[in-house]
Amino acid sequence: MRGIKRIAGTAIAVGVLAAAGCGGGDKPIGSASSSNNSSSSASNGAGQFKKGGTVTIANVGGQTWPCQFNPFNPSVSGVASGFVYEPLTFVNVLKAGATTPMLASDFTWSPAKDSIVFTIRDGVKWSDGQPFSADDVVYTFNLMKQQPALDLYALWTGAGLTSVTAAGNKVTMKFKGAAEPYFFNFANQVGIVPKHIWSTGEAASKPSTWADPKPVGTGPYTVASCTSNNISYAANGSYWQPGKPYIEKVQYPAYLDNNPANLDLASGKAQWGGQYIPNIDNFYKSKSPDNNYWFPPTANVALVPNNDPSRPATSKLAVRQALAYALDREQISKIGESGYQPAANQSGVVTPTFDKYYDKDAVTTAGYDKPNPDKAKQLLESAGYSSSNPLKLSVITVTGYTDWDASLAVVKQQLAAVGVELSIQDLQQQSYNQKLYTGDYDLAYSSQTGGPTPYYELRQLLYSKNTAPIGKQANSNYSRYSNPEVDKLLDQYASADPDTQVKLVKQISGYMIKDVPVIPTTESVDWYQYNTTDIQGWPTQDDPYAQPAPYNVPDVGQVLANLYSKSAQK
């Protein structure tokens, strides 16, 4: 699924809105919230809608389902987080980081923002009937300390987390210094797991690889059944939000290719889509007045060179620069993505979403504002390549992602024009993930999640503590880029004032231009199609209560808890 990039990406590759009519939500990221809850306009009171109906998701995964639901495994967390596992707080990227209380009903920062106290919600039960408590929260975070492979956001090693303790229904997290920017990661992207399940058996002995085939969570849904072809979710009858979820069943078929998924969306067989549809107005929108779409840009799609010295070509700066100069991003956008995904820029800052962080002059001065094939050829020659000794590279991508295939066809043609021979490896999702995470590639076509500011995506891409030696699984910095100066800038962000944070992002993005560790091609939008024939309550451009694509976690839980069936109300 596109969630490979959203850890949860990644796929990077990571709740649900509470009953409306109460005070609370829409607080700025990391600001203290009330003990009540808020929600979108989709719901105006607990138990407002009768239960019933089924939602079918069409989101291409490029593989059949392995029936694993481990929220710490980026390869499968997209079918677990939000559906089954929930965070302490939901942070809405599309509303400048507005927060909504989830498993924590309240939180309070210390004056120095170096510690935070969460009030854990009373009356919540795990889906097996056991009570949820502060001990589960402490267990989850300490497990990440004991097992670094689970610490997907480098909270213990990079964010300065020093302790997580409980006293009654209060959980205190302490950090080495100011930590407010990490709130998005630890409060929103970490799904809390049950201590009574994870502290025994294979879950305890192999937490990073445990399949978790029958997940026990606090979320709106449980896994009713799973086969290689379909995951069937059932409403959690003991869910802590009264009356929710309204939709009784969710079906998640496995699609190996965009085309059958697109046909199911166009016909209304599936109601919720998350992939590229070429000529969408004619193929999809014209088929029914109830077929709708919306594509908010949030991050980047990129060509990711392997920066590790074990790769003699892509570890050379001149080669990476040559690749970046050779690409005509406007053409990649126009041909590969039908213009639905705008052209990206080498700074890695998504525009116009984050215009104030974008240093356009720096991009122009470096010459990356337009393609420069002649410069690319000169750089390749300086690196020892020529027509008699051409540079040969391979790029890994996910089979079934037809837009990525089309984009890479353009990339291949553009690189051929400067003397680079590119071979494209279309891989099943699991094989792709394995190679990406362990650094077994020359180039990878990839995308990760963003956040309320460009800092979050740049930290995933560039922070050395998010990477790992070749052969070991990296958490998000798959390119194996390491620069102490960039690490220092990223570490300064947490304690900086807002104006300084903007300056820091510009400095960090300057290293994207200088070192070319990653080569953005297009801006990654949320691919989102939705059908309103029977299902209502969808996020829209006018009511962006969550990122709308079904591969966004934990946002998928937000959406599912607000949807309802019109026919069930009769």
Side-chain angles (χ1 to χ4, degrees):
M1 72 194 145
R2 281 304 160 89
I4 81 118
K5 59 191 181 183
R6 324 240 173 207
I7 272 191
T10 108
I12 280 145
V14 82
V16 285
L17 291 171
C22 304
D26 280 9
K27 301 287 184 182
I29 182 171
S31 67
S33 58
S34 76
S35 59
N36 293 324
N37 306 308
S38 71
S39 82
S40 77
S41 61
S43 170
N44 295 311
Q48 176 185 357
F49 301 112
K50 296 178 183 178
K51 293 179 179 290
T54 298
V55 168
T56 298
I57 300 173
N59 172 36
V60 176
Q63 67 174 26
T64 55
W65 296 127
C67 294
Q68 299 181 20
F69 299 91
N70 186 329
F72 297 112
N73 182 346
S75 297
V76 300
S77 60
V79 294
S81 299
F83 293 91
V84 176
Y85 295 106
E86 295 184 305
L88 294 172
T89 302
F90 172 63
V91 178
N92 189 346
V93 170
L94 298 182
K95 283 192 173 183
T99 61
T100 297
M102 294 298 293
L103 295 181
S105 59
D106 196 5
F107 59 87
T108 304
W109 281 101
S110 65
K113 301 295 177 70
D114 59 357
S115 69
I116 187 171
V117 178
F118 286 97
T119 301
I120 303 307
R121 188 178 297 279
D122 294 328
V124 178
K125 290 184 178 182
W126 295 103
S127 54
D128 64 358
Q130 294 293 313
F132 162 79
S133 73
D135 286 343
D136 295 304
V137 179
V138 172
Y139 179 81
T140 298
F141 283 94
N142 283 330
L143 183 63
M144 294 161 60
K145 179 182 181 181
Q146 297 159 13
Q147 302 282 339
L150 309 182
D151 189 7
L152 302 178
Y153 309 101
L155 297 174
W156 291 97
T157 59
L161 184 59
T162 59
S163 67
V164 181
T165 57
N169 68 342
K170 306 287 187 182
V171 169
T172 299
M173 296 184 181
K174 293 184 178 180
F175 297 81
K176 292 179 181 177
E180 190 172 18
Y182 307 125
F183 182 90
F184 177 75
N185 299 121
F186 66 74
N188 173 75
Q189 293 187 298
V190 174
I192 306 303
V193 300
K195 179 179 178 180
H196 67 280
I197 299 291
W198 284 75
S199 60
T200 62
E202 189 177 351
S205 62
K206 300 178 180 179
S208 64
T209 59
W210 182 47
D212 194 12
K214 297 181 180 179
V216 173
T218 60
Y221 288 89
T222 60
V223 176
S225 63
C226 182
T227 68
S228 60
N229 294 320
N230 186 66
I231 303 171
S232 181
Y233 299 89
N236 180 357
S238 59
Y239 188 48
W240 57 271
Q241 296 195 48
K244 293 188 175 184
Y246 307 121
I247 298 295
E248 286 191 321
K249 296 179 180 179
V250 178
Q251 303 294 345
Y252 208 152
Y255 293 95
L256 301 181
D257 185 86
N258 280 17
N259 294 327
N262 292 346
L263 288 169
D264 283 354
L265 286 167
S267 68
K269 182 178 179 181
Q271 296 80 43
W272 190 5
Q275 69 276 324
Y276 166 75
I277 299 178
N279 195 13
I280 192 169
D281 286 323
N282 182 58
F283 183 89
Y284 172 72
K285 180 64 179 170
S286 67
K287 298 297 189 297
S288 169
D290 295 314
N291 284 347
N292 305 276
Y293 65 90
W294 172 41
F295 302 148
T298 54
N300 288 286
V301 179
L303 199 62
V304 181
N306 194 327
N307 287 234
D308 191 84
S310 64
R311 299 283 169 161
T314 54
S315 62
K316 291 180 181 177
L317 175 59
V319 169
R320 299 195 302 273
Q321 290 174 322
L323 298 177
Y325 280 120
L327 298 184
D328 185 335
R329 293 169 170 87
E330 292 290 347
Q331 285 298 306
I332 297 171
S333 166
K334 181 179 179 181
I335 299 172
E337 303 289 348
S338 299
Y340 302 141
Q341 289 196 162
N345 66 80
Q346 187 53 44
S347 78
V349 174
V350 174
T351 62
T353 308
F354 301 125
D355 269 349
K356 72 177 181 179
Y357 299 89
Y358 178 46
D359 192 343
K360 183 178 180 180
D361 290 341
V363 173
T364 302
T365 300
Y368 289 119
D369 56 323
K370 56 184 177 296
N372 190 336
D374 291 337
K375 180 77 169 178
K377 291 176 184 177
Q378 294 169 10
L379 286 162
L380 288 171
E381 186 175 344
S382 73
Y385 299 100
S386 63
S387 56
S388 59
N389 180 36
L391 173 57
K392 298 180 180 181
L393 296 173
S394 64
V395 59
I396 60 172
T397 185
V398 182
T399 187
Y401 285 11
T402 55
D403 55 325
W404 283 16
D405 288 338
S407 293
L408 284 173
V410 179
V411 169
K412 180 175 181 175
Q413 186 178 40
Q414 292 175 353
L415 293 183
V418 300
V420 177
E421 297 179 13
L422 183 68
S423 61
I424 300 171
Q425 297 181 28
D426 267 301
L427 304 173
Q428 293 284 326
Q429 182 83 71
Q430 287 174 302
S431 298
Y432 170 90
N433 288 349
Q434 178 67 19
K435 286 182 174 292
L436 181 70
Y437 298 163
T438 61
D440 183 15
Y441 66 89
D442 293 331
L443 300 166
Y445 210 56
S446 180
S447 183
Q448 298 192 43
T449 51
T453 76
Y455 157 82
Y456 295 92
E457 183 181 8
L458 291 171
R459 185 175 185 268
Q460 286 182 311
L461 292 172
L462 307 178
Y463 197 43
S464 70
K465 292 178 182 178
N466 284 335
T467 195
I470 292 292
K472 301 291 185 180
Q473 181 166 310
N475 289 335
S476 58
N477 179 353
Y478 305 124
S479 72
R480 270 64 188 175
Y481 175 73
S482 180
N483 186 325
E485 292 301 315
V486 174
D487 286 349
K488 189 183 299 183
L489 293 169
L490 288 165
D491 287 338
Q492 291 173 21
Y493 186 91
S495 58
D497 61 76
D499 288 341
T500 303
Q501 287 180 340
V502 172
K503 293 177 183 177
L504 286 169
V505 167
K506 288 184 177 181
Q507 288 179 271
I508 295 164
S509 66
Y511 282 93
M512 284 282 290
I513 297 168
K514 178 183 177 182
D515 293 347
V516 197
V518 177
I519 305 169
T521 55
T522 60
E523 292 184 353
S524 177
V525 299
D526 273 3
W527 295 121
Y528 170 48
Q529 300 88 18
Y530 61 103
N531 181 281
T532 55
T533 301
D534 182 53
I535 308 302
Q536 302 288 304
W538 300 102
T540 64
Q541 191 165 4
D542 292 331
D543 185 15
Y545 65 81
Q547 284 190 256
Y551 49 70
N552 284 315
V553 292
D555 303 59
V556 61
Q558 297 282 104
V559 177
L560 286 173
N562 278 287
L563 298 181
Y564 65 94
S565 164
K566 285 195 300 184
S567 59
Q569 310 311 306
K570 298 177 182 178

